[in-house]
Amino acid sequence: MATTSISMRRLFGSTAMTVLFVSLRGNSFASAFCVPASRENMFRLRSGALFSSTTSSDTTFWRSNQDCWRPDVRDVERISFGQPAKKKGTGSRGIPHRLNEDERRSFDQARRQGFLQVTGSAWRSQRRDAPLLNTYRSLSDARGKPAIVLHKLSPTSSGEHEDKLVVDLSPLRFPDEFDAIGEEVKAMIQAEYNLESCVDDVEEGGDAEVDEGLDILEASDEDQYETRPIYQLPPFQLEWNVSRQEGKIIGKYLAEFFDTIEKSASKSKKQRGVKPGKGRRSGGYGIG
């Protein structure tokens, strides 16, 4: 028996209806029935087998620049352990990338799931920055994919829309196309999940303090996207206020759409010879 589902946003009173068409192989008839679906149930249905994904074919409105400077994935892994990268510019002593044990687990999970989940802003006071976000953004840059991050802002997730889902398009390195891609992504999420972006305009740059004189370029410096490392480029972020369940489901949807899932990614193994540094605040290899 083959089952096909179509979501029809028709309102009968205040109830949305999901129409399921069921066909039996070998028989000459098909049946249809309606299932009442609240917004929460619609999200649950989308996460199950009743809805087939359409993300694999419709990828025509975005692309990544492959003719520019990018770090190597292995180098990103090395600096996440505090080791020196082979390719110059992959890391910086002014931008911390070395992960602790908890951040390592989240990083490995993000590679398998296609999007990163962090508590709050992922800020680490010892480094006066967020090494996990820095490293995941560098990984996304190495792979030429957007960085998808779910910020868990509510400890209990009991309320509606208390978390934040963020998509950073800067790793695509086509700044003149960010606006168009952003509008397409927002329209896609609106159509699929009836969820609007929480800001009218995408967020460029951030409020984080820049350490040790590192220059963060303006979005207008488009030619610099060809040669500069990602930590010297401003983020271009799309944001949605979501519940915990919505954030995970939409994060998975976007991960499949942008092909950010690393199915063969395995658990990171500690590199040989890695030792904690002494008195160093951020960056560089050998710093714990």
Side-chain angles (χ1 to χ4, degrees):
M1 180 177 69
T3 303
T4 304
S5 65
I6 301 176
S7 173
M8 303 183 69
R9 301 296 299 178
R10 295 178 179 176
L11 296 179
F12 297 87
S14 61
T15 304
M17 307 301 293
T18 300
V19 182
L20 305 180
F21 292 90
V22 180
S23 62
L24 299 177
R25 293 182 179 177
N27 294 300
S28 58
F29 70 90
S31 61
F33 56 92
C34 296
V35 179
S38 63
R39 182 178 180 183
E40 182 177 358
N41 290 335
M42 289 292 291
F43 270 88
R44 289 176 179 174
L45 286 171
R46 287 186 184 279
S47 63
L50 292 179
F51 282 79
S52 58
S53 174
T54 60
T55 59
S56 59
S57 59
D58 186 15
T59 59
T60 56
F61 70 78
W62 73 276
R63 59 176 180 154
S64 62
N65 188 355
Q66 299 301 320
D67 298 323
C68 63
W69 187 94
R70 290 188 183 278
D72 182 76
V73 172
R74 290 294 183 89
D75 275 345
V76 174
E77 293 174 347
R78 289 187 184 98
I79 65 174
S80 75
F81 281 103
Q83 291 190 322
K86 294 183 178 181
K87 191 173 185 178
K88 185 177 180 180
T90 301
S92 167
R93 288 187 178 275
I95 303 294
H97 289 88
R98 183 167 181 170
L99 307 179
N100 60 28
E101 185 176 351
D102 292 336
E103 292 168 340
R104 175 72 52 191
R105 285 194 293 268
S106 297
F107 181 73
D108 290 342
Q109 183 184 48
R111 299 184 69 173
R112 295 189 296 269
Q113 293 183 341
F115 68 101
L116 178 65
Q117 300 182 51
V118 299
T119 301
S121 63
W123 183 269
R124 185 138 59 94
S125 58
Q126 297 92 333
R127 295 291 174 260
R128 292 178 57 188
D129 206 331
L132 179 56
L133 294 182
N134 295 337
T135 301
Y136 189 68
R137 189 176 183 224
S138 291
L139 176 68
S140 299
D141 184 44
R143 301 184 65 220
K145 310 286 187 181
I148 307 169
V149 182
L150 175 61
H151 293 267
K152 300 178 180 179
L153 305 180
S154 170
T156 60
S157 187
S158 58
E160 287 290 332
H161 301 155
E162 293 187 357
D163 293 343
K164 181 170 290 187
L165 183 67
V166 178
V167 177
D168 181 10
L169 300 180
S170 61
L172 299 181
R173 289 181 178 262
F174 274 127
D176 54 338
E177 299 181 7
F178 288 165
D179 285 319
I181 296 174
E183 290 301 320
E184 290 285 353
V185 174
K186 288 190 288 186
M188 182 177 67
I189 297 302
Q190 171 68 24
E192 289 289 331
Y193 297 100
N194 194 28
L195 188 66
E196 294 184 358
S197 174
C198 67
V199 289
D200 294 332
D201 299 314
V202 290
E203 180 178 339
E204 296 179 6
D207 298 329
E209 189 175 307
V210 180
D211 287 333
E212 299 186 14
L214 285 175
D215 295 327
I216 302 297
L217 303 176
E218 297 295 334
S220 58
D221 298 329
E222 296 180 358
D223 56 329
Q224 302 297 333
Y225 281 80
E226 301 283 339
T227 58
R228 294 293 190 99
I230 195 68
Y231 53 81
Q232 292 182 358
L233 301 176
F236 193 93
Q237 297 176 340
L238 310 174
E239 299 181 359
W240 293 267
N241 289 327
V242 295
S243 66
R244 185 67 48 82
Q245 183 185 29
E246 289 174 341
K248 290 181 178 181
I249 293 174
I250 299 176
K252 180 179 179 180
Y253 174 84
L254 290 172
E256 292 175 350
F257 181 82
F258 287 114
D259 192 27
T260 58
I261 300 173
E262 296 183 66
K263 296 181 179 179
S264 60
S266 58
K267 183 178 179 181
S268 299
K269 296 182 179 179
K270 185 175 180 180
Q271 304 292 315
R272 293 183 178 180
V274 176
K275 297 180 180 180
K278 295 182 179 180
R280 296 287 183 90
R281 175 165 60 86
S282 60
Y285 57 89
I287 298 173

